[in-house]
Amino acid sequence: MRPVQWEPPIELSAREQTIVKRIRRAKLFIFLREHRHEVFDAAFQEELARLYHDSPRGQPPVAPALLALATIVQAYTGASDDEVIEASVMDRRWQLVLDCLETDEAPFSKGTLIAFRQRLIAANLDRRLIERTLEVARQAGAFGAGPLRAALDSSPLWGAGRVEDTYNLLGHALRKALGVIADQQGWGLAEVASEAKAPVLVSASSLKAALDRNWDDVQQRQEALAVVLAALSAVETWLETQPESKADPAVQVHMQTAQQIKTQDVELTQEGTATLREGVAKDRRISIEDGQMRHGRKSRSVRVDGYKRHVVHDLDSGLVRAVGITAANAPEASVSEAIRADLLAQQAQLAELHIDRAYLSSTLVRERSAGLEIYCKAWPVRNGPRFLKTAFALDWDQQRIRCPNQQEMPFEPGGTVHFPAEVCATCPLRERCTNSPHGRSVSIHPDEALLGELRQRQLTAAGRAKLRERVAVEHTLAHVGYWQGRRARYRGQRKNLFDLRRCAVVHNLHVLAHLEAFSQAA
């Protein structure tokens, strides 16, 4: 059956007024109670209802608006799914918001909440939660239909999966494959491992513990790797005699994971001996539970095992306009297509974009419209005591570069200009320019015109003041990170994007709660 619309009362009852007066902290509960009918109006509830098929059979589903509201409060409080059900019965603040005061039973089950979350993600309607807060803000006069001045930045999000080294990754993947078979056949895991002639996989809490080597000794590490690879080969050979188990999709996934780890981390020496690869393979898998986690760096001193979260902050209203999640090893610029799609869905026209240098290579910058102003600190230009690149004049109309001695050469964006060695050899300014016997060379960035503009802008007080506006997005990232936490709640990029989006909704609701229009209404 199609879900019914949720129509809780708008006016506070006497009982609710008493509860509101007693709430000293976590006042977002009060705001949600007073304005839930505006956030979840009839039109938005109809959108949410489309998540469900119309069927003449079965019980009427719980109102999607109620589940969406519970999902937002869950992000606000950091509650688990079990705690949500408990709070709806035991916590009067939750009951105030969910319209279930004095109830003895939860208004929905844990399974219903999880199923709703899955539907929301599958239909990409978690993005609509952010858009809905923006629509409410626009109706309240927080911003108009004018161009958007936004700042974009990122912060690290550590993954929820356990990070392991090569030995334990291989052992973990193989144990999972054997565990599936053990469940199928009703055997014990140790029995299956013995049958596969790989008992080392289950003889201790981890494979490295079972191997019990001196890991500082190179020779013992080599011996341990040989044992692990032999266990992998033994399991693969045994599976050939178990066609039904081998064909199981779950077994195939875990065996493919084991092969992926072997391929990325193990190489053969010239003598044919298997050894661990020097350095880190590109896009190296670091966790069995979460295959999308990656090693990355936020800075030279900060390593991230998981993801990066990206936030677009509206500089005029303080609202979050869009968010994104990337693997920790992905360049910041890789989030730009997802951000652009979200802004396009809002019909937002960017007028100013305040970023750090990591986003300069993004399509938001490279494919910007003529009216978009980019604000960012330019990359520093260094050349020791000799002439900087900025001493060379660029004529963009003629695409010619002129050196301090007035010698000219043609250039192309993204290329490198090499001044003739014979010209540089007789130049009176040579000592101040280059000591290369091949003459001076100058690299032209693909967006050199923008970089030149940025360098000129930060030379002025007004330009530096503009650059400081980007600080606001760092505050918003801190707020969002407070609710989402330092470590991801879920495994996998898409689920963590959902979590980031609902935390952005919590931030936006806080901003709305401080708007004069809502304060007066309250």
Side-chain angles (χ1 to χ4, degrees), residues 173-452:
L174 293 173
R175 278 199 306 275
K176 278 187 168 290
L178 296 181
V180 172
I181 298 171
D183 290 342
Q184 287 175 345
Q185 300 184 3
W187 294 358
L189 182 58
E191 188 178 359
V192 175
S194 178
E195 182 75 14
K197 294 183 173 54
V200 69
L201 295 174
V202 296
S203 58
S205 58
S206 71
L207 184 54
K208 285 187 76 173
L211 293 169
D212 190 23
R213 296 297 201 276
N214 176 9
W215 299 104
D216 293 327
D217 187 289
V218 175
Q219 181 62 35
Q220 292 197 41
R221 290 203 303 266
Q222 288 294 103
E223 293 172 358
L225 182 60
V227 172
V228 175
L229 294 178
L232 171 59
S233 178
V235 172
E236 290 176 329
T237 301
W238 179 71
L239 282 175
E240 293 297 329
T241 67
Q242 307 288 321
E244 291 186 7
S245 296
K246 181 181 178 181
D248 185 280
V251 173
Q252 290 181 354
V253 166
H254 297 314
M255 293 306 297
Q256 288 168 3
T257 299
Q259 279 296 335
Q260 176 189 2
I261 294 162
K262 176 185 175 182
T263 301
Q264 72 184 13
D265 290 354
V266 179
E267 61 184 2
L268 293 177
T269 64
Q270 291 182 347
E271 294 77 21
T273 304
T275 184
L276 290 182
R277 186 186 301 274
E278 290 290 335
V280 179
K282 183 180 180 182
D283 207 34
R284 178 178 180 268
R285 181 169 183 156
I286 61 175
S287 174
I288 296 298
E289 291 99 341
D290 187 347
Q292 295 180 315
M293 286 173 53
R294 293 293 183 268
H295 285 313
R297 290 198 174 274
K298 178 60 178 173
S299 65
R300 286 186 178 182
S301 60
V302 179
R303 193 182 84 172
V304 184
D305 293 332
Y307 302 95
K308 295 175 188 173
R309 55 188 160 207
H310 307 256
V311 168
V312 177
H313 167 92
D314 188 326
L315 289 170
D316 294 317
S317 69
L319 296 163
V320 171
R321 301 297 293 265
V323 297
I325 288 279
T326 58
N329 67 339
E332 269 80 350
S334 63
V335 78
S336 56
E337 287 304 315
I339 294 296
R340 175 184 282 182
D342 285 7
L343 294 178
L344 184 63
Q346 301 169 23
Q347 298 182 337
Q349 182 66 40
L350 273 172
E352 292 182 13
L353 182 60
H354 297 245
I355 54 176
D356 66 21
R357 292 185 288 238
Y359 293 99
L360 278 174
S361 60
S362 70
T363 54
L364 289 169
V365 176
R366 294 284 180 86
E367 300 174 11
R368 64 190 180 277
S369 63
L372 176 58
E373 291 284 346
I374 303 296
Y375 292 92
C376 176
K377 289 186 69 174
W379 292 105
V381 180
R382 298 186 179 94
N383 194 33
R386 296 181 174 84
F387 288 131
L388 301 178
K389 182 165 67 173
T390 51
F392 291 72
L394 297 175
D395 184 338
W396 288 97
D397 293 331
Q398 301 297 321
Q399 286 206 326
R400 295 186 69 81
I401 182 172
R402 185 171 64 253
C403 79
N405 195 38
Q406 308 306 308
Q407 297 294 321
E408 291 190 3
M409 291 282 292
F411 74 85
E412 291 183 1
T416 300
V417 176
H418 299 277
F419 284 87
E422 58 274 14
V423 173
C424 290
T426 59
C427 177
L429 302 178
R430 174 181 172 80
E431 292 300 319
R432 297 171 59 190
C433 189
T434 182
N435 60 359
S436 170
H438 304 292
R440 177 65 185 260
S441 61
V442 179
S443 297
I444 308 298
H445 192 274
D447 218 342
E448 190 69 46
L450 172 63
L451 293 179

